[in-house]
């Protein structure tokens, strides 16, 4: 059972030595001075080399601007789907590629004006004394600096350092890139302000700007950038929704040039306002275009009908003919007007149905009112369909897969479905109205058929003319209404606070913060290094550390393994490492003899934690006994983390666990190795209750059976510092070997071992010092002998040498640090 006192933070002897750490920290004061100097130097360089970053914002309002000329008669509505949908749509539009392409093209922001400072290129847009005007249909040098130097107020010099005979150019009108021939070397020429420059690689005109320039002799670097890359850079515009007002949007940008950001923010809102107003007017324009096309056709029909009526009047006495026919004329005009109105509605519905089924762009749909349809469901849904189609078109260049883009498609499909149902319902009602109108017309025509032929002809011609004139006047009225609506439309987007440079706005770099951080980093890094060194030095470094911390005997010292497997004694029997294990064998035999143990001798190996070489020592001690022709068996009892089977190329399918739970007999779990006289019982499958298995009677029976057939039984157990399994196995063992590894085992672990032995939990304990390197802290000058008969192993040249550097990345790293600081 573990005791609270076993843990280091309850043990006064093994608690953290704060006083020692403080003394070591003070002794490394030079490190802190150097750390502060380096940290402040880096902070200073960061502050002077980084450009200042500014933030500029503008605020706009999105609201529903109702047209004062919208009436129940005009019915030219334009529904965006509510203010929240408009805000979301506008936010998405501001970040879309199509919108930013319009803004970049309007401002020519693919042109950079730069000045070379000591540490960086500074954007001097808005500060240079000239402005570049280009012909977008002609070539401009792409991604290369054009040096411009003002000679006088009227002349300037252009210098271009070409690195070959060809250069890449771009035509912004079509965003077309190509390669042209250029003069090799430095191109230099003088031009006048306002003069057209026409070269294969440069086509521009410089005009003076209102900006003042301190030093006209300074060179300005003009660069033409890729149009697509420029647009991508400005797509990062920040759009935030005001939490207190859902219809307020805040637009922000961060950059090094405030003038450029101010112009871009104001331009992006201005372009958005104009585009939104154009989209809003699209409904009225569709109606006007439809009416204009219809009026052109009606003018021809009206003219033909009028000419026919004039020709008839020339050969007939209209006064006599009109007498008695005026009543029929009035009736026919009313009934024909009713019929024409119904037929126009049916024709519109038929055209609408075909358009919805065959088209994907609904932005050109005319208003239903042009056909006299004032059904609210149809007029509203047509307007909504047009609005959604325009939004979808505006997002055509946005990121594919965008949630808002997909939502518009789904909403369009929903509106189409509803609109088709509304159209079918209205068509059924109109068919009935058409039959009534036709019945009235047939009745009047039957009465007219009894009139004289000249009266019938007159009624026919006047009927045709009056119908065309009536329809023409109706469309003229609708066109006038649509024009009034278009002229009265207002944008739903308004500036609240346009972008403006009012000073300030600095975001970084925060020079004072950098110096404060440098102070803390300059202290923290050396402090961490000192703590790291102090922490490493808290592990066992040499034999003196062991003798100081415990009175338990040191039975042997084991050097560094240089073989790929753990079978070091078997693979290199003449090495110094093999001799160290033979020395341990001799010491063990002395201990057994001292205890007067006859017959089978048992040995248990344990350690504080995993990784200290317990399995490595178990295998090689067993090998030493086996090579002396003693029947030896290794019993793998680390049931939680078995690994002893790998080096013998045997399987761990069955083992001690199978025997302890009664699945297998003892002879079935014993596996022979390629080493004579050496057998192994692996741990087998990992059980859920390893401690309970070890405590059972089966463990006692297994040990009794093994003692009948073997001279030496070696138990490879779990670390005693982690689990209590080894404590339960101590009753079966004559001697316990505790593995301590140099630069790995903490000093506190030996205090834990002392507590175990004092309480009688472990008996007959001896220590093996594993992984010993001669040049660790305080280790210089100590040979392998140290009174244990170990030095004679040097006679074999294949063993470990004191000047060997350890293998493995982390081992080498640790070794060099310890060697560097003489730890």
């Amino acid at each position: 059972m573990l005791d609270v006192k076993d843990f280091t933070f309850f043990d006064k002897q093994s608690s953290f030595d704060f006083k020692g750490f403080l003394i070591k920290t003070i002794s490394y004061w030079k490190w802190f001075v150097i750390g502060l100097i380096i940290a402040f130097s880096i902070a200073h360089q960061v502050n002077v080399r980084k450009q200042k970053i500014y933030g500029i914002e503008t605020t706009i309002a999105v609201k529903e601007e109702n047209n004062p000329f919208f009436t129940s008669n005009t019915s030219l509505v334009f529904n965006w789907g509510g203010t929240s949908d408009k805000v979301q749509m506008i936010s998405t539009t501001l970040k879309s590629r199509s919108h930013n392409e319009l803004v970049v093209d309007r401002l020519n922001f693919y042109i950079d004006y730069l000045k070379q400072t000591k540490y960086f290129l500074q954007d001097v847009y808005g500060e240079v004394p000239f402005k570049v005007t280009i012909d977008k249909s002609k070539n401009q040098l792409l991604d290369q600096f054009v040096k411009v130097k003002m000679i006088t107020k009227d002349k300037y010099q252009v210098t271009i350092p070409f690195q070959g005979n060809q250069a890449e150019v771009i035509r912004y009108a079509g965003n077309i890139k190509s390669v042209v021939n250029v003069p090799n070397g430095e191109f230099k020429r003088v031009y006048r302000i306002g003069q057209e420059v026409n070269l294969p690689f440069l086509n521009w005109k410089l005009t003076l700007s209102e900006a003042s320039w301190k030093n006209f002799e300074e060179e300005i670097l003009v660069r033409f950038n890729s149009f697509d890359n420029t647009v991508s850079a400005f797509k990062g515009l920040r759009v935030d929704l005001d939490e207190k007002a859902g219809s307020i949007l805040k637009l922000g940008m961060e950059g090094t040039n405030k003038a450029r950001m101010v112009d871009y923010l104001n331009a992006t809102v201005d372009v958005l306002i104009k585009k939104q107003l154009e989209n809003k007017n699209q409904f009225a324009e569709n109606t006007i275009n439809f009416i204009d096309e219809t009026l052109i056709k009606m003018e021809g029909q009206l003219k033909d009908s009028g000419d026919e009526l004039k020709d008839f009047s020339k050969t007939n006495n209209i006064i006599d003919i009109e007498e008695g026919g005026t009543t029929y004329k009035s009736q026919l005009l009313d009934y024909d007007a009713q019929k024409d109105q119904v037929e126009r509605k049916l024709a519109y519905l038929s055209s609408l149905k075909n358009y919805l089924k065959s088209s994907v762009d609904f932005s050109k749909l005319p208003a239903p009112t042009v056909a006299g349809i004032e059904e609210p469901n149809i007029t509203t849904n047509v307007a909504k369909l047009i609005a959604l189609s325009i939004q979808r078109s505006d997002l055509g260049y946005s990121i594919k897969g965008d949630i808002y883009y997909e939502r518009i498609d789904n909403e369009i499909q929903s509106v189409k479905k509803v609109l088709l149902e509304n159209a079918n319902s209205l068509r059924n009602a109109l068919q009935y109205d058409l039959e009534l109108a036709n019945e009235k017309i047939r009745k009047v025509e039957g009465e007219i058929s009894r009139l004289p032929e000249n009266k019938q002809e007159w009624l026919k011609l006047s009927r045709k003319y009056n119908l065309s004139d009536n329809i023409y006047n109706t469309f003229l009225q609708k066109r006038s209404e649509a024009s009034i609506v278009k002229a009265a439309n207002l944008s739903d987007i308004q500036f609240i606070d346009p972008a403006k440079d009012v000073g300030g706005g600095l975001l970084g770099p925060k020079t004072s913060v950098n110096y404060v951080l440098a102070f803390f980093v300059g202290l923290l890094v050396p402090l961490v290094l000192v703590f790291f060194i102090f922490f490493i030095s808290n592990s066992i470094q040499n034999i003196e550390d062991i003798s100081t911390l415990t009175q338990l005997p040191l039975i042997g010292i084991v050097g560094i393994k240089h073989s790929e497997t753990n079978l070091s004694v078997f693979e290199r029997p003449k090495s110094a490492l093999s001799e160290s294990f033979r020395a341990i064998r001799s010491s063990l035999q002395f201990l057994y003899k001292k205890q007067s143990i006859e017959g089978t001798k048992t040995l248990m190996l344990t350690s504080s934690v995993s990784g200290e070489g317990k399995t490595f020592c178990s295998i090689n001690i067993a090998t030493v006994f086996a090579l002396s022709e003693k029947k030896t068996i290794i019993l793998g009892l680390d049931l939680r983390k078995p690994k002893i089977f790998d080096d013998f190329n045997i399987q761990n399918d069955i083992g001690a666990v199978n025997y302890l739970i009664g699945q297998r007999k003892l002879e079935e779990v014993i596996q022979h190795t390629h080493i004579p006289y050496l057998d192994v019982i692996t741990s087998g499958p990992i059980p859920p209750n390893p401690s309970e298995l070890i405590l059972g009677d089966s463990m006692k029976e297994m040990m009794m059976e093994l003692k009948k057939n073997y001279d030496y039984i070696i138990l490879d157990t779990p670390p005693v510092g982690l689990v209590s399994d080894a404590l339960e196995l101590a009753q079966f063992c004559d001697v316990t070997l505790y593995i301590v590894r140099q630069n790995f085992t903490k000093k506190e672990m030996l205090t834990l071992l002392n507590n175990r032995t004092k309480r009688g939990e472990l008996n007959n304990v001896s220590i093996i010092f594993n992984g010993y390197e001669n040049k660790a802290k305080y280790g210089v000058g100590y040979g392998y002998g140290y009174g244990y008969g170990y030095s004679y192993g040097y006679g074999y040249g294949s063993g470990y040498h004191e000047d060997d550097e350890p293998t493995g990345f982390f081992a080498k790293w640790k070794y060099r640090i310890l060697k560097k600081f003489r730890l």
Side-chain angles (χ1 to χ4, degrees), residues 69-122:
F69 289 94
F70 281 160
T71 65
S72 59
N73 294 327
T74 58
S75 300
L76 288 171
V77 297
F78 189 89
N79 190 343
W80 284 78
T83 303
S84 61
D85 284 349
K86 279 194 295 185
V87 171
Q88 181 63 40
M89 188 279 299
I90 289 171
S91 176
T92 306
T93 301
L94 288 167
K95 296 181 179 181
S96 67
R97 173 170 287 277
S98 57
H99 172 78
N100 285 279
E101 282 180 349
L102 296 175
V103 182
V104 169
D105 186 64
R106 174 178 171 177
L107 296 174
N108 294 337
F109 266 16
Y110 39 74
I111 304 176
D112 282 342
Y113 302 88
L114 306 169
K115 182 181 72 172
Q116 181 65 60
T117 65
K118 184 178 180 180
Y119 297 111
F120 50 80
L121 284 172
Q122 181 182 354

Side-chain angles (χ1 to χ4, degrees), residues 562-580:
H562 288 280
S563 57
E564 294 183 0
T565 67
N566 286 326
L567 303 176
S568 300
V569 171
F570 183 75
E571 293 177 354
R572 303 173 69 177
K574 295 183 179 181
S575 65
L577 189 63
S578 299
E579 292 299 329
S580 67

Side-chain angles (χ1 to χ4, degrees), residues 247-481:
S247 60
I248 303 297
L249 286 176
K250 292 183 179 180
L251 282 59
M253 294 184 70
E254 296 178 4
T256 59
N257 188 289
K258 292 193 282 187
R260 186 182 290 273
M261 291 188 291
V262 167
D263 289 349
Y264 195 87
L265 285 174
N266 290 332
T268 195
V269 175
D270 188 53
V271 169
L272 182 66
I273 290 174
K274 292 181 179 179
K275 183 67 176 177
Q276 190 266 342
L277 187 57
E278 290 176 2
N279 294 341
K280 196 171 184 179
N281 286 332
Q282 185 68 48
F283 194 59
E285 288 181 0
N286 292 350
T287 303
I288 293 172
N289 293 335
F290 178 83
I291 292 174
D292 287 343
E293 294 176 0
T294 305
L295 287 176
I296 293 174
K297 297 178 182 178
M298 294 303 301
E299 284 178 356
Q301 295 179 10
L302 186 62
K303 183 177 182 301
D304 293 340
S305 300
D307 292 341
E308 291 177 358
L309 192 59
K310 287 180 182 179
D311 293 339
F312 181 82
S313 300
K314 290 178 182 179
T315 57
N316 296 277
N317 187 351
I318 300 300
I319 298 175
D320 293 337
I321 294 174
E322 286 182 347
E323 186 178 353
T326 305
T327 303
Y328 295 120
K329 177 182 177 182
S330 176
Q331 290 179 347
L332 282 174
L333 181 61
D334 292 339
Y335 296 154
D336 283 339
Q338 294 176 16
K339 179 181 178 181
D340 178 73
Q341 187 176 16
V342 174
E343 287 179 340
R344 280 192 288 116
K345 292 180 180 179
L346 289 171
Y348 179 87
L349 293 176
S350 178
S351 174
L352 177 64
K353 181 178 180 180
N354 294 332
Y355 199 87
L356 292 176
K357 290 184 176 180
S358 61
S359 180
V360 293
D361 181 14
F362 309 103
S363 59
K364 302 299 182 182
L365 274 175
T369 52
V370 299
I373 298 176
E374 297 180 358
E375 176 67 26
N377 291 332
I378 293 181
T379 55
T380 301
N381 285 325
V382 168
K384 189 173 184 180
L385 193 62
I386 294 173
L388 290 171
S389 186
I390 293 173
Q391 293 178 37
R392 188 182 188 280
S393 177
D394 289 340
L395 295 175
Y397 291 98
S398 298
I399 300 173
K400 292 183 179 180
D402 187 88
I403 296 176
Y404 188 72
Y405 187 85
E406 294 177 356
R407 187 186 66 79
I408 289 179
D409 284 337
N410 294 333
E411 192 170 352
I412 286 176
Q413 295 300 321
S414 300
V415 174
K416 281 175 57 178
K417 184 177 179 180
V418 173
L419 195 55
L420 286 171
E421 293 178 356
N422 293 335
N424 289 331
S425 299
L426 183 59
R427 182 184 291 105
N428 295 332
L430 290 175
Q431 289 290 350
Y432 178 76
D433 294 341
L434 182 61
E435 289 296 329
L436 291 178
N438 285 330
E439 181 64 27
K440 293 177 181 179
I441 291 173
R442 284 195 295 269
K443 186 181 292 186
V444 176
E445 286 178 344
E447 296 177 0
I448 292 175
S449 64
R450 294 194 291 269
L451 296 175
E453 291 185 1
N454 57 350
K455 285 191 175 184
Q456 292 184 35
E457 183 67 20
W458 173 76
L459 286 172
K460 177 182 177 181
L461 294 175
S462 60
R463 174 187 177 186
K464 182 178 180 181
Y465 175 80
N466 290 334
L467 180 60
S468 298
D469 183 61
N470 184 57
I471 295 173
Y472 189 82
N473 290 331
T474 300
F475 274 103
L476 282 178
Q477 180 183 356
K478 293 294 183 183
R479 191 187 191 286
S480 176
E481 291 174 357

Side-chain angles (χ1 to χ4, degrees), residues 136-332:
K136 296 182 180 180
S137 63
K138 295 182 180 180
N139 294 332
Q140 310 296 340
L141 191 62
L142 180 63
D143 291 333
Q144 189 167 341
F145 290 124
V146 179
K147 299 178 182 179
V148 178
K149 184 177 181 181
M150 299 296 297
I151 300 176
T152 65
K153 290 186 177 181
D154 299 324
K155 292 182 180 180
Y156 66 94
Q157 178 180 279
V158 172
T159 305
I160 306 175
F162 288 111
Q163 300 297 325
N165 295 322
Q166 291 185 327
E168 190 176 12
V169 294
I170 184 172
R171 276 180 289 172
Y172 290 107
N175 195 18
I176 301 172
K177 297 178 182 179
S178 58
V179 177
V180 298
N181 294 325
V182 296
N184 192 9
E186 187 177 70
F187 172 85
K188 185 179 292 185
R189 193 167 297 180
V190 177
Y191 296 96
R192 295 190 307 276
I193 296 294
Q195 178 183 353
E196 296 279 353
V197 177
N198 296 304
L199 298 170
F201 50 85
L202 191 63
N203 294 273
W204 74 12
K205 178 175 69 175
L206 258 63
T207 56
L208 293 177
S209 65
E210 297 179 357
S212 59
W213 192 248
K214 298 178 181 179
N215 187 359
F216 274 81
E217 294 184 357
E218 284 186 330
E219 281 187 338
I220 304 300
L221 304 177
V222 179
R223 181 175 60 191
F224 296 94
N225 300 303
S226 167
F227 182 79
D228 293 332
N229 293 342
T230 305
V231 172
S232 297
F234 282 102
K235 281 176 64 180
L237 178 73
R238 189 181 74 254
V239 182
D240 298 324
L241 182 65
D242 194 311
E243 297 179 356
K244 297 181 180 179
S247 60
I248 303 297
L249 286 176
K250 292 183 179 180
L251 282 59
M253 294 184 70
E254 296 178 4
T256 59
N257 188 289
K258 292 193 282 187
R260 186 182 290 273
M261 291 188 291
V262 167
D263 289 349
Y264 195 87
L265 285 174
N266 290 332
T268 195
V269 175
D270 188 53
V271 169
L272 182 66
I273 290 174
K274 292 181 179 179
K275 183 67 176 177
Q276 190 266 342
L277 187 57
E278 290 176 2
N279 294 341
K280 196 171 184 179
N281 286 332
Q282 185 68 48
F283 194 59
E285 288 181 0
N286 292 350
T287 303
I288 293 172
N289 293 335
F290 178 83
I291 292 174
D292 287 343
E293 294 176 0
T294 305
L295 287 176
I296 293 174
K297 297 178 182 178
M298 294 303 301
E299 284 178 356
Q301 295 179 10
L302 186 62
K303 183 177 182 301
D304 293 340
S305 300
D307 292 341
E308 291 177 358
L309 192 59
K310 287 180 182 179
D311 293 339
F312 181 82
S313 300
K314 290 178 182 179
T315 57
N316 296 277
N317 187 351
I318 300 300
I319 298 175
D320 293 337
I321 294 174
E322 286 182 347
E323 186 178 353
T326 305
T327 303
Y328 295 120
K329 177 182 177 182
S330 176
Q331 290 179 347
L332 282 174

